[in-house]
Amino acid sequence: MATASTTTARMGELREALPRIDTLLRGNRAGEIGEDVIDELVQHAWMEWNGGALRLTATGQNICRQMQAR
């Protein structure tokens, strides 16, 4: 079972990776993301399936913008 600090650390890793993931999605290269990461992002509601394609949710887009502004 994951501890709170492990979960928090993983969320930070996903936040850091989100701009690169967004770039991959925009380039139709979702296959380079990794199924485990996709599953985590969908679970956190940062990414969703839309008509057979993946896209960032509004929450995912906001987090991505925050990370790019840093």
PDB file of all heavy atoms in Angstrom, residues 40-68:
ATOM      1  N   GLU A  40      -2.712   6.257 -14.642  1.00  0.00           N
ATOM      2  CA  GLU A  40      -2.642   7.148 -13.483  1.00  0.00           C
ATOM      3  C   GLU A  40      -3.275   8.499 -13.785  1.00  0.00           C
ATOM      4  O   GLU A  40      -4.015   9.039 -12.954  1.00  0.00           O
ATOM      5  CB  GLU A  40      -1.191   7.363 -13.059  1.00  0.00           C
ATOM      6  CG  GLU A  40      -0.560   6.173 -12.391  1.00  0.00           C
ATOM      7  CD  GLU A  40       0.871   6.448 -12.010  1.00  0.00           C
ATOM      8  OE1 GLU A  40       1.761   6.276 -12.873  1.00  0.00           O
ATOM      9  OE2 GLU A  40       1.091   6.857 -10.846  1.00  0.00           O
ATOM     10  N   LEU A  41      -2.988   9.049 -14.955  1.00  0.00           N
ATOM     11  CA  LEU A  41      -3.540  10.356 -15.316  1.00  0.00           C
ATOM     12  C   LEU A  41      -5.053  10.298 -15.475  1.00  0.00           C
ATOM     13  O   LEU A  41      -5.757  11.236 -15.078  1.00  0.00           O
ATOM     14  CB  LEU A  41      -2.867  10.876 -16.582  1.00  0.00           C
ATOM     15  CG  LEU A  41      -1.385  11.227 -16.437  1.00  0.00           C
ATOM     16  CD1 LEU A  41      -0.778  11.537 -17.792  1.00  0.00           C
ATOM     17  CD2 LEU A  41      -1.190  12.387 -15.485  1.00  0.00           C
ATOM     18  N   VAL A  42      -5.567   9.218 -16.034  1.00  0.00           N
ATOM     19  CA  VAL A  42      -7.020   9.043 -16.150  1.00  0.00           C
ATOM     20  C   VAL A  42      -7.622   8.906 -14.754  1.00  0.00           C
ATOM     21  O   VAL A  42      -8.658   9.503 -14.449  1.00  0.00           O
ATOM     22  CB  VAL A  42      -7.366   7.834 -17.045  1.00  0.00           C
ATOM     23  CG1 VAL A  42      -8.845   7.486 -16.950  1.00  0.00           C
ATOM     24  CG2 VAL A  42      -6.976   8.124 -18.492  1.00  0.00           C
ATOM     25  N   GLN A  43      -6.963   8.143 -13.881  1.00  0.00           N
ATOM     26  CA  GLN A  43      -7.455   7.956 -12.518  1.00  0.00           C
ATOM     27  C   GLN A  43      -7.532   9.284 -11.762  1.00  0.00           C
ATOM     28  O   GLN A  43      -8.464   9.518 -10.996  1.00  0.00           O
ATOM     29  CB  GLN A  43      -6.540   6.986 -11.765  1.00  0.00           C
ATOM     30  CG  GLN A  43      -6.970   6.710 -10.349  1.00  0.00           C
ATOM     31  CD  GLN A  43      -5.999   5.786  -9.635  1.00  0.00           C
ATOM     32  OE1 GLN A  43      -4.934   5.438 -10.150  1.00  0.00           O
ATOM     33  NE2 GLN A  43      -6.352   5.391  -8.439  1.00  0.00           N
ATOM     34  N   HIS A  44      -6.574  10.168 -11.995  1.00  0.00           N
ATOM     35  CA  HIS A  44      -6.563  11.480 -11.332  1.00  0.00           C
ATOM     36  C   HIS A  44      -7.445  12.498 -12.052  1.00  0.00           C
ATOM     37  O   HIS A  44      -7.515  13.649 -11.626  1.00  0.00           O
ATOM     38  CB  HIS A  44      -5.140  12.026 -11.240  1.00  0.00           C
ATOM     39  CG  HIS A  44      -4.262  11.246 -10.322  1.00  0.00           C
ATOM     40  ND1 HIS A  44      -4.538  11.044  -8.992  1.00  0.00           N
ATOM     41  CD2 HIS A  44      -3.099  10.589 -10.562  1.00  0.00           C
ATOM     42  CE1 HIS A  44      -3.593  10.322  -8.446  1.00  0.00           C
ATOM     43  NE2 HIS A  44      -2.702  10.023  -9.386  1.00  0.00           N
ATOM     44  N   ALA A  45      -8.071  12.090 -13.154  1.00  0.00           N
ATOM     45  CA  ALA A  45      -8.937  12.964 -13.966  1.00  0.00           C
ATOM     46  C   ALA A  45      -8.152  14.104 -14.595  1.00  0.00           C
ATOM     47  O   ALA A  45      -8.660  15.202 -14.793  1.00  0.00           O
ATOM     48  CB  ALA A  45     -10.124  13.487 -13.157  1.00  0.00           C
ATOM     49  N   TRP A  46      -6.874  13.841 -14.943  1.00  0.00           N
ATOM     50  CA  TRP A  46      -6.057  14.824 -15.651  1.00  0.00           C
ATOM     51  C   TRP A  46      -6.055  14.535 -17.143  1.00  0.00           C
ATOM     52  O   TRP A  46      -5.633  15.372 -17.933  1.00  0.00           O
ATOM     53  CB  TRP A  46      -4.629  14.805 -15.146  1.00  0.00           C
ATOM     54  CG  TRP A  46      -4.463  15.245 -13.717  1.00  0.00           C
ATOM     55  CD1 TRP A  46      -5.439  15.678 -12.870  1.00  0.00           C
ATOM     56  CD2 TRP A  46      -3.259  15.279 -12.964  1.00  0.00           C
ATOM     57  NE1 TRP A  46      -4.908  15.975 -11.653  1.00  0.00           N
ATOM     58  CE2 TRP A  46      -3.573  15.737 -11.683  1.00  0.00           C
ATOM     59  CE3 TRP A  46      -1.950  14.961 -13.268  1.00  0.00           C
ATOM     60  CZ2 TRP A  46      -2.605  15.901 -10.689  1.00  0.00           C
ATOM     61  CZ3 TRP A  46      -0.989  15.121 -12.280  1.00  0.00           C
ATOM     62  CH2 TRP A  46      -1.322  15.585 -11.006  1.00  0.00           C
ATOM     63  N   MET A  47      -6.505  13.333 -17.515  1.00  0.00           N
ATOM     64  CA  MET A  47      -6.551  12.907 -18.906  1.00  0.00           C
ATOM     65  C   MET A  47      -7.815  12.085 -19.088  1.00  0.00           C
ATOM     66  O   MET A  47      -8.287  11.451 -18.151  1.00  0.00           O
ATOM     67  CB  MET A  47      -5.300  12.063 -19.233  1.00  0.00           C
ATOM     68  CG  MET A  47      -5.202  11.582 -20.654  1.00  0.00           C
ATOM     69  SD  MET A  47      -3.747  10.529 -20.896  1.00  0.00           S
ATOM     70  CE  MET A  47      -2.458  11.751 -20.949  1.00  0.00           C
ATOM     71  N   GLU A  48      -8.358  12.112 -20.321  1.00  0.00           N
ATOM     72  CA  GLU A  48      -9.570  11.345 -20.596  1.00  0.00           C
ATOM     73  C   GLU A  48      -9.546  10.840 -22.033  1.00  0.00           C
ATOM     74  O   GLU A  48      -8.812  11.361 -22.876  1.00  0.00           O
ATOM     75  CB  GLU A  48     -10.805  12.209 -20.377  1.00  0.00           C
ATOM     76  CG  GLU A  48     -10.930  13.367 -21.351  1.00  0.00           C
ATOM     77  CD  GLU A  48     -12.071  14.311 -21.039  1.00  0.00           C
ATOM     78  OE1 GLU A  48     -12.830  14.046 -20.093  1.00  0.00           O
ATOM     79  OE2 GLU A  48     -12.207  15.310 -21.751  1.00  0.00           O
ATOM     80  N   TRP A  49     -10.362   9.828 -22.251  1.00  0.00           N
ATOM     81  CA  TRP A  49     -10.564   9.325 -23.612  1.00  0.00           C
ATOM     82  C   TRP A  49     -11.685  10.130 -24.234  1.00  0.00           C
ATOM     83  O   TRP A  49     -12.715  10.366 -23.609  1.00  0.00           O
ATOM     84  CB  TRP A  49     -10.943   7.844 -23.592  1.00  0.00           C
ATOM     85  CG  TRP A  49      -9.791   6.972 -23.226  1.00  0.00           C
ATOM     86  CD1 TRP A  49      -9.530   6.432 -21.993  1.00  0.00           C
ATOM     87  CD2 TRP A  49      -8.741   6.537 -24.087  1.00  0.00           C
ATOM     88  NE1 TRP A  49      -8.371   5.702 -22.045  1.00  0.00           N
ATOM     89  CE2 TRP A  49      -7.872   5.744 -23.323  1.00  0.00           C
ATOM     90  CE3 TRP A  49      -8.450   6.749 -25.430  1.00  0.00           C
ATOM     91  CZ2 TRP A  49      -6.727   5.153 -23.864  1.00  0.00           C
ATOM     92  CZ3 TRP A  49      -7.318   6.162 -25.958  1.00  0.00           C
ATOM     93  CH2 TRP A  49      -6.473   5.378 -25.187  1.00  0.00           C
ATOM     94  N   ASN A  50     -11.474  10.565 -25.474  1.00  0.00           N
ATOM     95  CA  ASN A  50     -12.486  11.336 -26.176  1.00  0.00           C
ATOM     96  C   ASN A  50     -12.534  10.859 -27.623  1.00  0.00           C
ATOM     97  O   ASN A  50     -11.618  11.143 -28.401  1.00  0.00           O
ATOM     98  CB  ASN A  50     -12.139  12.834 -26.123  1.00  0.00           C
ATOM     99  CG  ASN A  50     -13.165  13.673 -26.824  1.00  0.00           C
ATOM    100  OD1 ASN A  50     -14.358  13.439 -26.717  1.00  0.00           O
ATOM    101  ND2 ASN A  50     -12.709  14.673 -27.554  1.00  0.00           N
ATOM    102  N   GLY A  51     -13.567  10.117 -27.967  1.00  0.00           N
ATOM    103  CA  GLY A  51     -13.712   9.622 -29.331  1.00  0.00           C
ATOM    104  C   GLY A  51     -12.559   8.737 -29.771  1.00  0.00           C
ATOM    105  O   GLY A  51     -12.123   8.816 -30.902  1.00  0.00           O
ATOM    106  N   GLY A  52     -12.023   7.948 -28.858  1.00  0.00           N
ATOM    107  CA  GLY A  52     -10.922   7.054 -29.173  1.00  0.00           C
ATOM    108  C   GLY A  52      -9.553   7.686 -29.087  1.00  0.00           C
ATOM    109  O   GLY A  52      -8.543   7.046 -29.346  1.00  0.00           O
ATOM    110  N   ALA A  53      -9.486   8.949 -28.729  1.00  0.00           N
ATOM    111  CA  ALA A  53      -8.206   9.650 -28.581  1.00  0.00           C
ATOM    112  C   ALA A  53      -8.075  10.154 -27.144  1.00  0.00           C
ATOM    113  O   ALA A  53      -9.063  10.416 -26.470  1.00  0.00           O
ATOM    114  CB  ALA A  53      -8.123  10.822 -29.545  1.00  0.00           C
ATOM    115  N   LEU A  54      -6.850  10.281 -26.711  1.00  0.00           N
ATOM    116  CA  LEU A  54      -6.590  10.818 -25.379  1.00  0.00           C
ATOM    117  C   LEU A  54      -6.450  12.327 -25.450  1.00  0.00           C
ATOM    118  O   LEU A  54      -5.926  12.874 -26.427  1.00  0.00           O
ATOM    119  CB  LEU A  54      -5.290  10.234 -24.828  1.00  0.00           C
ATOM    120  CG  LEU A  54      -5.348   8.793 -24.369  1.00  0.00           C
ATOM    121  CD1 LEU A  54      -3.940   8.255 -24.159  1.00  0.00           C
ATOM    122  CD2 LEU A  54      -6.145   8.671 -23.096  1.00  0.00           C
ATOM    123  N   ARG A  55      -6.900  12.987 -24.396  1.00  0.00           N
ATOM    124  CA  ARG A  55      -6.687  14.428 -24.280  1.00  0.00           C
ATOM    125  C   ARG A  55      -6.641  14.788 -22.805  1.00  0.00           C
ATOM    126  O   ARG A  55      -7.151  14.061 -21.948  1.00  0.00           O
ATOM    127  CB  ARG A  55      -7.785  15.213 -24.981  1.00  0.00           C
ATOM    128  CG  ARG A  55      -9.123  15.136 -24.295  1.00  0.00           C
ATOM    129  CD  ARG A  55     -10.131  16.026 -24.969  1.00  0.00           C
ATOM    130  NE  ARG A  55     -11.396  15.973 -24.248  1.00  0.00           N
ATOM    131  CZ  ARG A  55     -12.499  16.525 -24.663  1.00  0.00           C
ATOM    132  NH1 ARG A  55     -12.508  17.184 -25.810  1.00  0.00           N
ATOM    133  NH2 ARG A  55     -13.602  16.439 -23.953  1.00  0.00           N
ATOM    134  N   LEU A  56      -6.015  15.921 -22.521  1.00  0.00           N
ATOM    135  CA  LEU A  56      -5.999  16.407 -21.151  1.00  0.00           C
ATOM    136  C   LEU A  56      -7.378  16.964 -20.807  1.00  0.00           C
ATOM    137  O   LEU A  56      -8.022  17.592 -21.647  1.00  0.00           O
ATOM    138  CB  LEU A  56      -4.946  17.497 -20.976  1.00  0.00           C
ATOM    139  CG  LEU A  56      -3.488  17.091 -21.137  1.00  0.00           C
ATOM    140  CD1 LEU A  56      -2.583  18.301 -20.909  1.00  0.00           C
ATOM    141  CD2 LEU A  56      -3.110  15.965 -20.213  1.00  0.00           C
ATOM    142  N   THR A  57      -7.799  16.748 -19.582  1.00  0.00           N
ATOM    143  CA  THR A  57      -9.040  17.350 -19.107  1.00  0.00           C
ATOM    144  C   THR A  57      -8.753  18.821 -18.786  1.00  0.00           C
ATOM    145  O   THR A  57      -7.603  19.274 -18.847  1.00  0.00           O
ATOM    146  CB  THR A  57      -9.531  16.650 -17.826  1.00  0.00           C
ATOM    147  OG1 THR A  57      -8.529  16.822 -16.806  1.00  0.00           O
ATOM    148  CG2 THR A  57      -9.797  15.172 -18.053  1.00  0.00           C
ATOM    149  N   ALA A  58      -9.775  19.561 -18.422  1.00  0.00           N
ATOM    150  CA  ALA A  58      -9.584  20.960 -18.027  1.00  0.00           C
ATOM    151  C   ALA A  58      -8.616  21.036 -16.844  1.00  0.00           C
ATOM    152  O   ALA A  58      -7.738  21.904 -16.808  1.00  0.00           O
ATOM    153  CB  ALA A  58     -10.919  21.609 -17.680  1.00  0.00           C
ATOM    154  N   THR A  59      -8.730  20.110 -15.906  1.00  0.00           N
ATOM    155  CA  THR A  59      -7.818  20.073 -14.764  1.00  0.00           C
ATOM    156  C   THR A  59      -6.395  19.812 -15.238  1.00  0.00           C
ATOM    157  O   THR A  59      -5.457  20.485 -14.814  1.00  0.00           O
ATOM    158  CB  THR A  59      -8.257  18.992 -13.759  1.00  0.00           C
ATOM    159  OG1 THR A  59      -9.582  19.271 -13.323  1.00  0.00           O
ATOM    160  CG2 THR A  59      -7.321  18.929 -12.569  1.00  0.00           C
ATOM    161  N   GLY A  60      -6.226  18.836 -16.128  1.00  0.00           N
ATOM    162  CA  GLY A  60      -4.906  18.525 -16.669  1.00  0.00           C
ATOM    163  C   GLY A  60      -4.310  19.707 -17.412  1.00  0.00           C
ATOM    164  O   GLY A  60      -3.108  19.991 -17.299  1.00  0.00           O
ATOM    165  N   GLN A  61      -5.129  20.414 -18.173  1.00  0.00           N
ATOM    166  CA  GLN A  61      -4.650  21.591 -18.905  1.00  0.00           C
ATOM    167  C   GLN A  61      -4.197  22.681 -17.944  1.00  0.00           C
ATOM    168  O   GLN A  61      -3.177  23.339 -18.168  1.00  0.00           O
ATOM    169  CB  GLN A  61      -5.748  22.119 -19.828  1.00  0.00           C
ATOM    170  CG  GLN A  61      -6.043  21.209 -20.990  1.00  0.00           C
ATOM    171  CD  GLN A  61      -7.272  21.660 -21.777  1.00  0.00           C
ATOM    172  OE1 GLN A  61      -7.901  22.666 -21.462  1.00  0.00           O
ATOM    173  NE2 GLN A  61      -7.610  20.912 -22.805  1.00  0.00           N
ATOM    174  N   ASN A  62      -4.961  22.885 -16.873  1.00  0.00           N
ATOM    175  CA  ASN A  62      -4.594  23.902 -15.879  1.00  0.00           C
ATOM    176  C   ASN A  62      -3.275  23.554 -15.195  1.00  0.00           C
ATOM    177  O   ASN A  62      -2.417  24.419 -15.015  1.00  0.00           O
ATOM    178  CB  ASN A  62      -5.697  24.071 -14.839  1.00  0.00           C
ATOM    179  CG  ASN A  62      -6.908  24.775 -15.392  1.00  0.00           C
ATOM    180  OD1 ASN A  62      -6.824  25.520 -16.362  1.00  0.00           O
ATOM    181  ND2 ASN A  62      -8.056  24.532 -14.784  1.00  0.00           N
ATOM    182  N   ILE A  63      -3.107  22.296 -14.816  1.00  0.00           N
ATOM    183  CA  ILE A  63      -1.859  21.861 -14.189  1.00  0.00           C
ATOM    184  C   ILE A  63      -0.704  22.028 -15.170  1.00  0.00           C
ATOM    185  O   ILE A  63       0.377  22.494 -14.799  1.00  0.00           O
ATOM    186  CB  ILE A  63      -1.976  20.406 -13.699  1.00  0.00           C
ATOM    187  CG1 ILE A  63      -2.981  20.330 -12.548  1.00  0.00           C
ATOM    188  CG2 ILE A  63      -0.612  19.861 -13.270  1.00  0.00           C
ATOM    189  CD1 ILE A  63      -3.383  18.922 -12.163  1.00  0.00           C
ATOM    190  N   CYS A  64      -0.926  21.663 -16.419  1.00  0.00           N
ATOM    191  CA  CYS A  64       0.101  21.796 -17.447  1.00  0.00           C
ATOM    192  C   CYS A  64       0.529  23.261 -17.593  1.00  0.00           C
ATOM    193  O   CYS A  64       1.724  23.564 -17.644  1.00  0.00           O
ATOM    194  CB  CYS A  64      -0.426  21.248 -18.766  1.00  0.00           C
ATOM    195  SG  CYS A  64       0.810  21.154 -20.080  1.00  0.00           S
ATOM    196  N   ARG A  65      -0.425  24.163 -17.625  1.00  0.00           N
ATOM    197  CA  ARG A  65      -0.109  25.600 -17.723  1.00  0.00           C
ATOM    198  C   ARG A  65       0.684  26.076 -16.498  1.00  0.00           C
ATOM    199  O   ARG A  65       1.623  26.867 -16.621  1.00  0.00           O
ATOM    200  CB  ARG A  65      -1.386  26.421 -17.878  1.00  0.00           C
ATOM    201  CG  ARG A  65      -1.911  26.437 -19.300  1.00  0.00           C
ATOM    202  CD  ARG A  65      -2.982  27.499 -19.474  1.00  0.00           C
ATOM    203  NE  ARG A  65      -4.250  27.142 -18.866  1.00  0.00           N
ATOM    204  CZ  ARG A  65      -5.195  26.428 -19.461  1.00  0.00           C
ATOM    205  NH1 ARG A  65      -5.028  25.984 -20.691  1.00  0.00           N
ATOM    206  NH2 ARG A  65      -6.325  26.157 -18.856  1.00  0.00           N
ATOM    207  N   GLN A  66       0.299  25.596 -15.321  1.00  0.00           N
ATOM    208  CA  GLN A  66       1.028  25.959 -14.111  1.00  0.00           C
ATOM    209  C   GLN A  66       2.482  25.498 -14.185  1.00  0.00           C
ATOM    210  O   GLN A  66       3.400  26.229 -13.808  1.00  0.00           O
ATOM    211  CB  GLN A  66       0.376  25.334 -12.879  1.00  0.00           C
ATOM    212  CG  GLN A  66      -0.963  25.918 -12.520  1.00  0.00           C
ATOM    213  CD  GLN A  66      -1.669  25.107 -11.446  1.00  0.00           C
ATOM    214  OE1 GLN A  66      -1.148  24.119 -10.945  1.00  0.00           O
ATOM    215  NE2 GLN A  66      -2.884  25.522 -11.095  1.00  0.00           N
ATOM    216  N   MET A  67       2.693  24.290 -14.690  1.00  0.00           N
ATOM    217  CA  MET A  67       4.039  23.741 -14.767  1.00  0.00           C
ATOM    218  C   MET A  67       4.872  24.481 -15.820  1.00  0.00           C
ATOM    219  O   MET A  67       6.066  24.675 -15.634  1.00  0.00           O
ATOM    220  CB  MET A  67       3.996  22.243 -15.071  1.00  0.00           C
ATOM    221  CG  MET A  67       3.313  21.416 -14.000  1.00  0.00           C
ATOM    222  SD  MET A  67       3.881  21.742 -12.308  1.00  0.00           S
ATOM    223  CE  MET A  67       5.550  21.176 -12.413  1.00  0.00           C
ATOM    224  N   GLN A  68       4.257  24.899 -16.905  1.00  0.00           N
ATOM    225  CA  GLN A  68       4.963  25.616 -17.956  1.00  0.00           C
ATOM    226  C   GLN A  68       5.343  27.015 -17.495  1.00  0.00           C
ATOM    227  O   GLN A  68       6.343  27.561 -17.944  1.00  0.00           O
ATOM    228  CB  GLN A  68       4.118  25.685 -19.228  1.00  0.00           C
ATOM    229  CG  GLN A  68       3.987  24.351 -19.906  1.00  0.00           C
ATOM    230  CD  GLN A  68       2.962  24.357 -21.023  1.00  0.00           C
ATOM    231  OE1 GLN A  68       2.005  25.123 -21.003  1.00  0.00           O
ATOM    232  NE2 GLN A  68       3.156  23.477 -22.000  1.00  0.00           N
TER     233      GLN A  68
END
